[in-house]
Amino acid sequence: MSEDAAPSAIIIGASGGLGRAVADAAGASGRFAVVHRLSRSGTGFDLEDEASIAAAAAEVAKGPAPALVFVATGVLHHGEAPERSYRAMTAEHLLRDYRVNTVGPALAAKHFLPLLPRDRRAVFAALSARVGSIGDNRLGGWHSYRASKAALNMILRNLSIEIARSHPQAVVAGLHPGTVATDLSAPFQKGVAEGRLFDATYSAERLLSVLDGLMPADSGGVFAWDGARVPE
């Protein structure tokens, strides 16, 4: 691909509220030759099925190299409410959150990072959460979700170190979108302070703006919707 050719963007989880908004914003920006919208409902892409991830990557590889890979998936409460106490922990709940929130993005990185161009800036980003911060944890609870997001943050840090050796201009980052008015946050929106419940379009625009401002020196960090770095 020539230096002036428009790159592609890959949005994983593009059928969800925030993922759809990110894909729409990426498309509206005019910066990408194509925006690949990957989702279980839309394209049969399954983040819990590595074969489907590999197949999608092989298809994407036929076109322009991606300048953006955005993993907008996650699970919080589907069938299992966040645990308020250690007494509520179960192996099934812990493993489910790890599969979706940690293993899925890790496998996406395995197959999509090799597609990033080596000679220019490119970004791999995944939705994390402030509650995945160990240093910022003052409340406890939500064991499965917190732990799976903390593990995701470690995966992202590892990826940033390794990819820098072959792709010195690449940025790997986690993103904390705030509380977005989507199905994921629906049971927890009543306690959100006024002005802190964001619609998906606003959150998507903010997150893409944050990514635009990150440099390779920022790679491996987690950043909130307002650009502030989330404590480790």
Side-chain angles (χ1 to χ4, degrees):
M1 189 175 83
S2 71
E3 185 70 31
D4 296 329
S8 65
I10 303 164
I11 313 302
I12 297 172
S15 64
L18 185 53
R20 185 183 305 110
V22 170
D24 289 346
S29 72
R31 294 162 54 183
F32 304 103
V34 59
V35 176
H36 298 279
R37 298 171 179 251
L38 304 181
S39 68
R40 182 179 295 175
S41 61
T43 62
F45 176 91
D46 187 351
L47 209 56
E48 295 185 68
D49 178 2
E50 186 173 0
S52 81
I53 300 172
E59 191 64 28
V60 168
K62 297 175 183 178
L68 172 65
V69 180
F70 194 113
V71 183
T73 57
V75 65
L76 173 57
H77 59 80
H78 291 287
E80 296 273 6
E83 312 97 331
R84 296 182 180 276
S85 166
Y86 65 85
R87 296 178 179 85
M89 287 192 294
T90 66
E92 291 77 12
H93 191 175
L94 286 159
L95 291 171
R96 181 208 61 178
D97 281 18
Y98 271 91
R99 282 197 313 273
V100 177
N101 295 337
T102 311
V103 178
L107 292 178
K110 174 183 175 180
H111 291 280
F112 286 103
L113 282 180
L115 306 184
L116 300 184
R118 292 173 178 255
D119 60 346
R120 70 204 73 175
R121 184 179 183 275
V123 175
F124 180 93
L127 288 183
S128 186
R130 185 176 294 278
V131 296
S133 166
I134 294 173
D136 194 51
N137 185 358
R138 300 290 184 270
L139 297 175
W142 289 33
H143 300 287
S144 299
Y145 188 70
R146 283 186 187 273
S148 64
K149 290 297 188 179
L152 170 63
N153 295 348
M154 180 59 80
I155 290 287
L156 295 172
R157 175 61 62 84
N158 276 351
L159 295 174
S160 73
I161 294 169
E162 184 172 355
I163 198 68
R165 299 170 187 151
S166 57
H167 297 67
Q169 298 182 58
V171 174
V172 176
L175 294 170
H176 167 58
T179 304
V180 185
T182 63
D183 290 343
L184 184 140
S185 68
F188 314 101
Q189 293 175 10
K190 290 182 179 179
V192 178
E194 185 176 354
R196 288 289 184 170
L197 179 62
F198 306 137
D199 68 50
T201 298
Y202 174 79
S203 182
E205 291 171 349
R206 287 301 311 146
L207 295 178
L208 290 176
S209 177
V210 169
L211 291 179
D212 282 344
L214 298 182
M215 305 297 290
D218 300 311
S219 193
V222 179
F223 299 86
W225 59 273
D226 60 358
R229 189 165 189 143
V230 175
E232 296 178 358

